[in-house]
Amino acid sequence: MGGCMVYNDFVDYLNTLHNESAGNAGAVAEAQRNNPYFQKVLVQRPEADFIAERVESGAPFLCVLTGYAGDGKTTILFRALERLGMPSDRPIREDRGRFVTASGKTVSFIKDFSELPKEARNETLREALALLGEGISTLLVANTGPIIESFKSVFTDKEDAESVILERMDATSDYEQMVYGYPMLILNIARIDNSDFLTKYGMKLVAEGNWSTCQACERKDLCPIYFNAALTAQYPQAFQFLSDFYIWEQELDNRATIRQITAHIAFALTGGLNCHDVWRRADKYWKARYLYSNLLFTGPDGRGSPTQIKGIRMLAESGLDTKNTSKDYSLFVQKDYKDLLPLELVDVAEEIDSAPQKKIPAATKQKMLKRMMLVFALNNDIKTELYRDIFATYYPEFLDYRAGRSKPSPGIKNKIFDALQTLFTGDSNNSGTSIYVTLRRSGEQVQNVQMLIGRMSRDDLNIISERVSCVARPDNEHYELYLVYRAGGNTVKNRIGMPLLDYFTKISAGLIVADVDPLLSHGIESLKAELMAACKSAGEIPNVVNILVQKHGEWHKMELCFEEDRISEV
């Protein structure tokens, strides 16, 4: 083929970040540090600066960086060591070592604690604790399982050793404290919200400087990789959609690591293609087949889906692109592409619609168009409608609460109030100011006679938004919703995650929610038990039982006195 092909090495770098093929050279931090493109796309982690500052300004301490594989622990260690003055290549060459900072502080580091044999891990932890007595701080990287196991082994004389380490790992705001007399900073990266990382990182990948060499390539107008980079740079909502999806999955207790997120974005930009592939085989349909929005969900045309990339597997299993939306008729029947999509995608949508079967199979055309609309929604109004359809009715509001853009409205409180009434009595038709707390047979939506054990006043129930942040990431704040009930000196405070909010709003609307996953079911039952224990008692007269009876659609309270030979109404 004639013409001039310009090879962009940055594309090859992107393809090292995902595991769509057998090679995955950029999967680990050491390989990343050696790559010249790493610094160009690096999103600075304030945790590293916090650790370095803590070493230089405070007394010796043990810093444990823990979390799941791929959470970025080693990258944070490398950055902290660089801030303290260590040459950047040294921690790549050495698994552990010791050095003196510019201010004269001695620091020890252990990069691969989890890779050590069990006894070596235990001895390493003992050494790190002993070094504190010599005025030496230790920075240690460990996966959660090995550090918990070693902690228990080292502190065998402490019965609560496991619960103590787990409590410190679960902390979300204040990580440093004295543990059995030792100053420890246990920084669990898995507990730090990483959703803000995605858009920052995505925009660094598609920054113009990474793609300037492509300008001279004669195939750039057919190149789906270049098109994806230019498109997402112009429309960052493509990254925001993915961030919102990961927040949704996180609420469902399905969290992605930094490594999994970077792999997902990298594959969605390149589809595993390189410049040679584009030069030899690209045609006018490649921009549609390898479009960023399509690759987020699957491989080109949905064939040979690279499900080893966790993010793609998560999106595929979510079925978001198969759910009906209020915009489907406009998209599929009226073909109102100009009213739904950015101008740059209108031509692509028309190419998909008119493509012959051998280029784009008819069975996949609708999914490709739907994905395009979901990821590149033209404006916020369309995006909000789509989110209500594919996620949950109140997911847009939940994202606003989470970002601190708004506070819970009185309407949300009313819906939760009605939902609680339904949970306890099976009936939300209560116009009063109290929730009846009852015992009733399970499996029945409405039971006409129930034992009344207490009441909760609407005025004692509040829905609040509370700021969550951590000392190591002051820039990484978000807000969480809580149900707070206070009465008679008792307080119940329960987080309202998205699954629980969705459940409440559905049953308050009179819907029967049959498919409740075990985690949510446990949370609902735990909340009910706490509220039962804290609510105002219906009465404490000996031998008197309070009964709630439904007559003609209204609830009536009865008091029955049980005596030796009879039962009478009080």
Side-chain angles (χ1 to χ4, degrees), residues 36 117 145 178 192 294 371 377 384 434-435 437 445 487 489 516 521 528:
M178 297 295 290
I192 299 177
N294 199 40
R371 294 163 183 163
T384 297
S434 295
I435 295 173
V437 180
Q445 187 66 11
V516 179
S521 178
K528 287 175 64 177

Side-chain angles (χ1 to χ4, degrees), residues 79 182 279 537:
R79 174 61 182 166
Y182 297 100
W279 184 257
S537 175

